[in-house]
């Protein structure tokens, strides 16, 4: 009797037919981007780059569709993790999580000290702006602000898809990227330092290294009043920032930062 031939293996298909189509969500969190790429800033791009390295099949594209359709019910960015609930094709929504290792207090102290020593970073952060070269400060103290690979950003989802990231995790990541666009301080929160704590620590360190200044609120009544003749400055300057360096203390501060340092980013742009 001739041997029986094995039936050819059925090709792998990325589908779960028993679950059907996704269940629509009312008042879900929908991505602002309706077409093309999601994420506009350099920091959201750095975050999504890790996700794209892990992309499996068409899951990233389907995750983008989920994000735009509002399938994510809730999302929270906490120290060490992003947690979200995503509605799929089952009646019960899935729980998705994107983790990251938080920096120890000693590491954050080193970062805050580096911020405080550089008036550009201090003035920018205290003014509510995250500089484009923020990563350089972390690198200088031996840290990486963003994950350098998949092992540093563990992900899990309660859905039956074995791939990481699945479309539910991808949807969450795209929404996180938009959150980072809106508030880059959330990146620091994800790494373990919320905005209020970071700025409070930075102010304390600036008070230690900076000159004594008067809060702006205490001098508003005479802010526009002439204070006498301008002092003599040094010789020719090679760049606009040197004008600030030669300027005597103004005796005015905002959130503990001398007014001259708040003006420095503007002078740098003029000089450029």
């Amino acid at each position: 009797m001739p041997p029986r031939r094995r039936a050819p293996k059925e090709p792998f298909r990325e589908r779960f037919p028993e679950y059907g189509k996704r269940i629509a969500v009312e008042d879900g969190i929908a991505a602002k981007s309706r077409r093309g790429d999601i994420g506009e800033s350099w920091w959201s791009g750095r975050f999504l780059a890790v996700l794209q390295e892990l992309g499996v099949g068409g899951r990233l594209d389907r995750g983008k569709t989920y994000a735009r359709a509002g399938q994510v019910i809730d999302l929270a960015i906490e120290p060490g993790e992003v947690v979200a609930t995503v509605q799929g094709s089952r009646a019960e929504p899935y729980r998705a999580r994107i983790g990251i290792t938080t920096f120890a207090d000693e590491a954050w102290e080193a970062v805050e000290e580096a911020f405080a020593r550089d008036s550009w970073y201090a003035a920018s952060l205290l003014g509510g702006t995250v500089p484009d070269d923020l990563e350089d400060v972390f690198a200088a103290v031996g840290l990486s602000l963003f994950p350098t690979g998949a092992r540093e950003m563990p992900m899990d989802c309660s859905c039956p898809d074995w791939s990481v990231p699945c479309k539910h995790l991808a949807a969450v990541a795209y929404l996180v990227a938009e959150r980072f666009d809106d508030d880059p301080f959330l990146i620091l929160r994800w790494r373990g330092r919320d905005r209020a704590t970071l700025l409070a620590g930075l102010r304390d360190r600036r008070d230690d290294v900076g000159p004594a200044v008067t809060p702006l609120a205490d001098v508003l009544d005479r802010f526009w009043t002439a204070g006498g003749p301008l002092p003599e400055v040094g010789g020719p300057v090679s760049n606009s920032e040197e004008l600030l360096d030669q300027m005597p203390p103004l005796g005015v501060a905002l959130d503990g930062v001398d007014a001259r340092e708040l003006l420095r980013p503007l002078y740098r742009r003029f000089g450029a």
Side-chain angles (χ1 to χ4, degrees), residues 56-72:
V56 180
R59 288 173 174 82
L60 295 187
D61 289 336
R62 290 197 291 276
K64 195 175 293 185
T65 299
Y66 262 53
R68 287 175 171 148
Q71 295 299 119
V72 178

Side-chain angles (χ1 to χ4, degrees), residues 8-259:
K9 291 184 178 180
E10 183 180 354
F12 172 74
R13 282 178 278 184
E14 290 183 326
R15 61 187 180 93
F16 300 96
E18 64 271 27
Y19 300 127
K21 296 182 179 180
R22 67 177 183 265
I23 300 172
V25 176
E26 292 185 8
D27 301 324
I29 305 172
K32 294 180 295 184
S33 167
R34 306 315 299 168
R35 64 178 60 185
D37 295 333
I38 292 181
E40 301 175 349
S41 60
W42 67 267
W43 44 82
S44 62
R46 290 281 287 106
F47 166 68
L48 289 176
V50 181
L51 181 79
Q52 290 160 357
E53 290 177 3
L54 303 173
V56 180
R59 288 173 174 82
L60 295 187
D61 289 336
R62 290 197 291 276
K64 195 175 293 185
T65 299
Y66 262 53
R68 287 175 171 148
Q71 295 299 119
V72 178
I73 299 172
D74 56 55
L75 185 154
I77 300 176
E78 304 292 347
E81 64 179 4
V82 174
V83 290
T85 307
V86 186
Q87 181 64 63
S89 52
R90 285 178 167 177
E92 182 179 354
Y94 303 122
R95 298 294 297 174
R97 175 184 173 275
I98 303 176
I100 198 170
T101 301
T102 58
F103 296 142
D105 289 342
E106 293 79 6
W108 275 113
E109 289 172 4
V111 171
E112 291 173 0
E113 189 67 31
F115 286 152
R117 285 196 303 268
D118 191 310
S119 56
W120 160 248
Y121 291 114
S124 297
L125 291 168
L126 290 172
T129 303
V130 173
D132 290 346
D133 54 351
L134 186 70
E135 286 184 287
D136 295 342
V137 178
F138 285 83
V141 296
L143 300 172
S144 175
L145 177 58
F146 290 94
T148 57
R151 292 184 178 181
E152 295 183 13
M153 196 169 77
M155 295 179 277
D156 56 81
C157 180
S158 61
C159 77
D161 191 351
W162 53 269
S163 292
V164 176
C166 62
K167 58 190 174 186
H168 313 105
L169 284 165
V172 172
Y174 284 122
L175 292 179
V176 169
E178 288 196 339
R179 293 279 181 91
F180 287 166
D181 281 342
D182 294 338
D183 184 2
F185 281 92
L186 289 174
I187 302 170
L188 307 181
R189 175 178 176 80
W190 192 36
R191 273 295 195 184
R193 201 56 128 212
D194 64 79
R195 178 174 181 157
T197 303
L198 174 70
L199 296 186
L202 181 54
R203 288 190 186 99
D204 290 343
R205 285 171 171 76
R206 287 293 297 174
D207 289 343
D208 292 338
V209 301
V213 291
T214 304
L216 183 60
D218 294 346
V219 295
L220 281 178
D221 60 334
R222 61 181 190 276
F223 184 77
W224 299 109
T225 303
L230 293 175
E232 293 290 331
V233 298
V237 296
S238 59
N239 61 70
S240 57
E241 279 193 75
E242 290 186 16
L243 292 172
L244 286 176
D245 295 333
Q246 295 184 26
M247 185 184 298
L250 299 177
V252 177
L254 180 62
D255 288 334
V257 180
D258 188 279

